[in-house]
């Protein structure tokens, strides 16, 4: 028995969630390779969950200061509203990467502060690569040209969507050595629904390719 909230009904079927799982499992593999080469450490990214939440629930769960990239997915279609998404890196992952890239061992010190300009610029290049890998992950399903619009570090002032808008939240676990952190991807469920309806043939084709690949493996 599961609780069901009639005030915010689920918009996505299990089949659509499965399609998104295929996309973000591919994205996780791409990030694993990128981070391992960047950090010169063992890095593994795995998909943990895909669920629907209202935007205020997602935003309220974030710390005051957090590294977030605002991304335009760049889907060229007059029928699709602007598809702006959020890539969010947990503070543990952010500080591990900054420490490693600035000559350290890749260690995390728990701290509650805003980021410096140097730290933001270091992470801007990394999040920009996170953004570019989205294009490869979505390849075969829908043509995208994702671009990083800006970096935000204060979760309380960002208003990417209406507070009660339903969002798709993708959570991925990042393991660096033995340290575990989180990368999340937040996107509008309404816009994602429009995309899946508009490009239903491509999503069906992408699903067949994905199934064939798994059977070959």
């Amino acid at each position: 028995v599961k609780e069901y909230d009639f005030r915010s009904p689920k918009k996505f079927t299990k089949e659509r969630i499965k399609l998104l799982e295929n996309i973000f499992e591919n994205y996780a593999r791409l990030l694993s390779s990128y981070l391992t080469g960047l950090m010169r450490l063992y890095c593994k990214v795995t998909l943990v969950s895909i669920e629907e939440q209202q935007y205020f629930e997602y935003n309220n769960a974030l710390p005051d200061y957090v590294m977030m990239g605002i991304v335009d997915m760049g889907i060229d279609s007059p029928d699709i509203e602007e598809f702006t998404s959020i890539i969010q890196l947990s503070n543990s992952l952010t500080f591990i990467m900054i420490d490693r890239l600035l000559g350290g061992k890749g260690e995390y010190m728990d701290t509650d502060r805003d980021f410096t300009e140097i730290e933001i610029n270091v992470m801007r290049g990394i999040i920009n690569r996170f953004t570019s890998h989205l294009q490869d992950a979505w390849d075969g399903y829908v043509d995208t040209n994702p671009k990083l619009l800006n970096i935000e570090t204060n979760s309380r002032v960002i208003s990417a969507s209406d507070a009660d808008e339903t969002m798709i939240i993708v959570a991925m676990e990042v393991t660096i050595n033995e340290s575990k952190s989180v990368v999340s991807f937040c996107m509008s469920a309404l816009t994602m629904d429009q995309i899946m309806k508009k490009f239903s043939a491509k999503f069906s084709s992408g699903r067949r390719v994905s199934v064939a690949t798994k059977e070959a493996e």
Side-chain angles (χ1 to χ4, degrees), residues 39-117:
M39 305 280 284
R40 297 294 189 267
L41 294 171
Y42 170 74
C43 301
K44 183 178 180 180
V45 184
T46 54
L47 176 65
V48 176
S49 66
I50 299 178
E51 60 183 20
E52 295 181 39
Q53 280 185 4
Q54 290 184 306
Y55 180 72
F56 77 88
E57 294 176 327
Y58 169 75
N59 187 263
N60 288 345
L62 298 175
D64 290 341
Y65 301 113
V66 65
M67 191 65 64
M68 308 173 75
I70 312 302
V71 176
D72 179 1
M73 291 296 290
I75 296 178
D76 186 16
S77 173
D79 301 325
I80 305 298
E81 298 177 2
E82 182 180 0
F83 190 15
T84 303
S85 305
I86 299 173
I87 298 176
Q88 180 260 323
L89 283 66
S90 66
N91 287 343
S92 59
L93 176 60
T94 299
F95 284 114
I96 285 172
M97 297 178 75
I98 290 171
D99 182 69
R100 181 65 174 173
L101 294 176
L102 296 184
K105 296 180 180 179
E107 298 175 342
Y108 169 59
M109 294 182 62
D110 191 10
T111 181
D112 183 21
R113 62 170 176 81
D114 201 355
F115 300 92
T116 67
E117 286 298 320

Side-chain angles (χ1 to χ4, degrees), residues 129-143:
R129 288 297 301 274
F130 274 46
T131 300
S132 64
H133 282 306
L134 284 169
Q135 184 172 12
D136 297 326
W138 286 79
D139 187 37
Y141 294 90
V142 58
D143 294 331

Side-chain angles (χ1 to χ4, degrees), residues 24 27-28 31 45-48 170-174 181-183 185:
F24 282 97
Y27 184 55
L31 290 186
V45 184
T46 54
L47 176 65
V48 176
V170 181
M172 293 170 284
E173 183 178 75
V174 182
S181 306
V182 176
V183 171
F185 189 83

